[in-house]
Structure formats: C-alpha cells, structure tokens
Amino acid sequence: MTFGEQPAYLRVASDLREKIANGSLPPHTRLPSQARIREEYGVSDTVALEARKVLMAEGLVEGRSGSGTYVRERPVPRRIARSGYRPAAGASPFRQEQAAEEVCGTWESASEQEPAGAEVAERLGIEPGERVMRTRYVFRDGGEPMMLSTSWEPLAVTGRSPVMLPEEGPLGGCGVVERMAAIDVVVDNVVEEVGARPGLAEELLTLGGVPGHVVMVIERTYYASGRAVETADVVVPADRYKVAYHLPVR
C-alpha cells in the first residue's frame, strides 16, 4: 500500500477506523493482529503497533487480558438539553440540567466549606482564600452515572442564610436562581463555556470510562448585577452524551 505524506500508522489507523464505522469490523470483533496488520498493509511491526495504540486511545477498541484487542460497542449519544437558567418553580438542579419533564434522575451530593483556590476565586471575582461552599454531585439516569458537577458559592453571599447548603434547608434541591431569589439576590445572567479534555482518573472511575476517554466540561457561572454568585464545572462523557442548547430569541 502506498502512503502519502501522512504518517503510515495514521493511515493504517484511519483505514481500520473506517472499517469499524461501516460495520466491516462490528462490535466485539477481534481486531486484526499486529502480524496481520503488518502483512495486509505492508508496514513494520512498529507502525502496526502504533496504529493499534491510536484506536485504543480513541476508545474504539479495548484490550482483553489474555485474549486480544476487540472492537468496542459504541453507544448512541444521548442528549442533555440546556434551555437557559430560569427553571420552573421547585425544579431540581438535575431537571434544570436536562430540561426534560419526563426525566426522573437521581443524584448524590456532598457540601463542604473551603478556602477558594486561585482559579475559583478568579471566576467568582473574590480574593483567593475567601470561604466558599463547595458541593460535589454525581447525577444518575436509570442508575447509571452520567454527569458530575462541582459548584462553588461565595459564603459572603449565602453564609448564615437558609440557602447556605444547596441540598439542605427549605429550598434544598432547588435551582440556583430560586435559591438566590429567596435571599433577595436576583440572578440576571449566566455564562457557560464548553470545552473538552481527557477525563481525570477519578472522573472516569465514577463515570465508567477508560483511560484516555474524552469528557466535555461546561464551566458555568451565574451572575446577579455583574456579581458572580455561583460557578460550577459540569463534566459529561463525550462518547455517551451530547449537549444541546435551546436559547430564547430576544
């Protein structure tokens, strides 16, 4: 096989990737061995090995101890819809995230006070070391972990108020907008920045991914008259979910 300027291992990986995509190599099929790749494509052992590494890093194949490398079953991405920051009265954060009335998800959470690190302080517009309430969430759909979130709220805003703990008190489990309104803080803007990166080991352990899997990270910050009152990192497995935005036209 004649290869162009692209490195040989990428051309081999691309051809194998196409076979996986078109069904020539269906899920649970054993990937051609290193010797078979070398023979079929006329490449060296090093090239064949690197091509297999590319497919593994992309999450298309997985190694099975003592058995070989197999094509992974690719899930059909499910949608997480986001439609602004004004939920219906009493809506939970999970329902707000998914914006779908039929969703009946569950979540676990834990809140703890801590000094704000440099990055969180910058996002909240406060000094590093100021006290914040950090809340970590694991969201589940049908028992399956599908989203992680860590939020930070400045205690200068919520401290010693009924909404200091996001998941406890009279408004526990309600959205940020409603909770802030209860202490006369009117949220009037929200900014979300969406990016992607390899998942951290602890994230993938919780979400059920494997090393190298990519996650989407939504950095969300709520504002009231220009002052940040909450910021959060929402982490979603990129191979299982996609984020859809439904924004009102003003």
Side-chain angles (χ1 to χ4, degrees):
M1 178 178 292
T2 301
F3 293 98
E5 295 181 359
Q6 190 179 44
Y9 76 95
L10 290 181
R11 292 292 299 272
V12 173
S14 178
D15 190 69
L16 291 171
R17 187 188 302 114
E18 177 61 26
K19 290 180 179 180
I20 293 173
N22 65 25
S24 299
L25 288 172
H28 310 296
T29 299
R30 187 172 181 176
L31 194 71
S33 67
Q34 187 169 315
R36 177 70 180 274
I37 292 174
R38 181 189 64 209
E39 178 182 344
E40 181 177 346
Y41 292 92
V43 297
S44 67
D45 281 332
T46 300
V47 168
L49 178 61
E50 290 302 314
R52 290 160 63 91
K53 286 182 178 179
V54 168
L55 298 178
M56 190 167 291
E58 293 175 350
L60 296 175
V61 300
E62 61 184 355
R64 299 180 185 174
S65 180
S67 180
T69 304
Y70 291 80
V71 177
R72 293 183 66 243
E73 185 157 7
R74 301 287 289 175
V76 177
R78 297 163 61 186
R79 188 178 69 172
I80 296 177
R82 302 179 69 79
S83 57
Y85 63 88
R86 295 187 181 278
S92 72
F94 196 22
R95 286 182 180 272
Q96 181 182 351
E97 295 289 350
Q98 301 203 63
E101 293 181 358
E102 69 275 10
V103 171
C104 294
T106 60
W107 66 90
E108 305 161 9
S109 67
S111 295
E112 184 178 0
Q113 293 187 37
E114 67 178 17
E119 182 182 352
V120 169
E122 181 178 2
R123 286 163 59 173
L124 289 174
I126 61 178
E127 292 296 322
E130 287 192 35
R131 305 296 292 178
V132 295
M133 183 66 71
R134 182 197 67 204
T135 304
R136 289 175 172 162
Y137 295 89
V138 178
F139 296 98
R140 303 178 187 275
D141 184 12
E144 175 187 325
M146 49 82 65
M147 184 168 62
L148 306 176
S149 178
T150 303
S151 69
W152 298 268
E153 296 179 354
L155 289 173
V157 175
T158 61
R160 298 185 180 181
S161 78
V163 301
M164 185 174 73
L165 293 169
E167 295 297 319
E168 297 181 23
L171 292 178
C174 292
V176 174
V177 177
E178 185 174 357
R179 290 177 48 248
M180 292 297 167
I183 56 173
D184 298 322
V185 175
V186 179
V187 174
D188 53 20
N189 191 25
V190 61
V191 174
E192 293 193 349
E193 298 182 5
V194 183
R197 59 166 171 76
L200 303 178
E202 55 268 28
E203 293 170 340
L204 297 176
L205 180 64
T206 301
L207 292 170
V210 299
H213 272 193
V214 173
V215 296
M216 289 179 288
V217 181
I218 303 170
E219 292 186 7
R220 180 194 68 202
T221 305
Y222 285 102
Y223 295 90
S225 300
R227 180 184 188 182
V229 297
E230 190 254 22
T231 192
D233 286 340
V234 181
V235 178
V236 182
D239 64 331
R240 304 206 311 263
Y241 295 91
K242 57 184 178 180
V243 178
Y245 282 84
H246 299 272
L247 305 177
V249 177
R250 298 185 179 182

